[in-house]
Amino acid sequence: MKVLLPDTVELDPELPPGAVAVVYDVHRPVPDEHTDADVLVVWGNPADVLAQTARRLGKVRWVQTLAAGPDVVLQAGFAPGVLITAGLGLHDRTVAEHTLALVLAAARRLNLLVRAQMEHRWAQELGGLQPVRETGSFRTLREANVVIWGFGGIAATLAPLLHALGAHVTGVARSHGTRQGFPVVTEEAFPELLPRTDVLISILPATDATARVLNDDVLSHLPRHAWVVNVGRGTTVDETALLGALRDGRIAGAALDVFETEPLPADSGFWELENVMITPHAAGGRPVGASDLLTENLAAFVDGRPLRNVIER
């Protein structure tokens, strides 16, 4: 069995007896002598090169992406019989950390403070004495209502961090209940949460069902002081609607790590708004525990046992 490992991350999985690992350049076509590979591991592969790889690897039986979202692999065109597994769990801590940083930056107005620093201006209006309780404004996580749309592993890691700083956290997912000690509601109950929401965090995957679901209808239910944070996928946001809400002051701000087109075009309206914080798809980028996941899934693959994080197609 031949396993192709990407050169974009250091991997050292334990290989089953008889298996051979070959490191390949994700930015170039797989060499002809390795198109007989049984397993392909994907991380940071350009979409066009991956699509070419899908056509050339005629014997591949399983593709393991280290990304939490498998959308790039699903769009590459691998044969229907090819097993696809995702990197769920590998990015929980890194994305949760970045999301917490964005939420705190929004609460403490770091977007405005950085601008003031660049102007060599002491922003007195953002410092000095502050009210302990301030209505109609998001200035602290203490007693803030935070809604996490897409309550999976990342949200389960993030929610306790927000709670530790005093936030009331509610999740939104396909099924309701209690997860990790936090209430989770379905999307049917989602609109009832929005008028009381201080921060709406989206960690939705890119699917047909989630395309541009963060739209004008959702935004219209948020209070004017609310912030939107997106660390899921850019395709889940109606960017025209979000830009309009930000420009008109119908919401207070947005912290965005992902966009429908990446890199974000230089002429995008998001760049010019002082109530927007932009990070360049930086929340993840570090698949923590990838070698362990590969070791476990390789052993299961050889033994004919179920693999972790199988994507239904």
Side-chain angles (χ1 to χ4, degrees):
M1 183 174 71
K2 182 179 289 186
V3 182
L4 297 183
L5 302 177
D7 64 351
T8 44
V9 61
E10 186 176 346
L11 296 170
D12 187 27
E14 295 181 19
L15 299 176
V20 176
V22 176
V23 177
Y24 72 99
D25 184 345
V26 302
H27 295 97
R28 304 176 70 86
V30 173
D32 291 341
E33 64 268 28
H34 298 312
T35 56
D36 61 344
D38 304 277
V39 180
L40 175 70
V41 181
V42 172
W43 179 239
N45 302 55
D48 57 341
V49 180
L50 188 59
Q52 182 187 80
T53 301
R55 293 192 297 269
R56 296 182 64 232
L57 266 59
K59 296 184 178 180
V60 69
R61 294 182 286 152
W62 163 36
V63 177
Q64 168 75 63
T65 176
L66 302 183
D71 41 301
V72 174
V73 172
L74 291 174
Q75 294 163 9
F78 288 94
V82 175
L83 183 68
I84 295 176
T85 53
L88 298 174
L90 303 182
H91 306 276
D92 292 357
R93 285 179 286 176
T94 53
V95 177
E97 182 180 275
H98 192 88
T99 308
L100 179 63
L102 292 177
V103 172
L104 288 173
R108 293 311 178 109
R109 301 297 190 266
L110 292 192
N111 55 313
L112 300 179
L113 290 169
V114 169
R115 286 175 180 262
Q117 179 180 343
M118 294 174 66
E119 297 168 356
H120 296 198
R121 183 177 69 84
W122 185 263
Q124 183 63 44
E125 72 278 10
L126 298 172
L129 303 181
Q130 304 289 322
V132 175
R133 296 184 182 276
E134 188 172 358
T135 59
S137 180
F138 172 55
R139 298 298 299 272
T140 177
L141 277 172
R142 189 181 64 256
E143 303 298 329
N145 291 315
V146 181
V147 174
I148 304 179
W149 196 1
F151 206 93
I154 294 170
T157 303
L158 173 64
L161 304 178
L162 297 168
H163 176 74
L165 292 171
H168 303 294
V169 181
T170 304
V172 180
R174 284 177 292 185
S175 59
H176 69 88
T178 301
R179 302 186 191 179
Q180 308 297 320
F182 296 94
V184 176
V185 303
T186 63
E187 292 191 357
E188 284 71 23
F190 181 37
E192 300 174 11
L193 296 176
L194 295 175
R196 303 187 303 276
T197 297
D198 298 301
V199 184
L200 173 60
I201 300 172
S202 175
I203 319 181
L204 293 171
T207 67
D208 291 341
T210 63
R212 300 186 178 181
V213 290
L214 207 169
N215 53 29
D216 196 57
D217 182 54
V218 171
L219 295 168
S220 68
H221 284 80
L222 290 170
R224 297 177 72 89
H225 69 269
W227 274 72
V228 169
V229 178
N230 187 17
V231 292
R233 285 291 185 265
T235 56
T236 64
V237 175
D238 182 334
E239 294 184 351
T240 299
L242 180 57
L243 267 171
L246 291 164
R247 284 173 172 157
D248 297 343
R250 287 183 279 123
I251 62 171
L256 308 170
D257 184 58
V258 289
F259 298 87
E260 189 163 7
T261 299
E262 296 181 1
L264 183 66
D267 61 354
S268 169
F270 287 115
W271 292 111
E272 65 190 35
L273 299 179
E274 68 175 15
N275 58 344
V276 173
M277 289 184 284
I278 294 170
T279 55
H281 206 138
R286 308 167 188 85
V288 178
S291 290
D292 291 339
L293 175 62
L294 279 173
T295 296
E296 180 180 338
N297 270 353
L298 282 167
F301 185 68
V302 169
D303 294 344
R305 294 182 285 109
L307 276 64
R308 277 177 56 189
N309 304 338
V310 173
I311 302 300
E312 299 295 335
R313 294 203 282 167

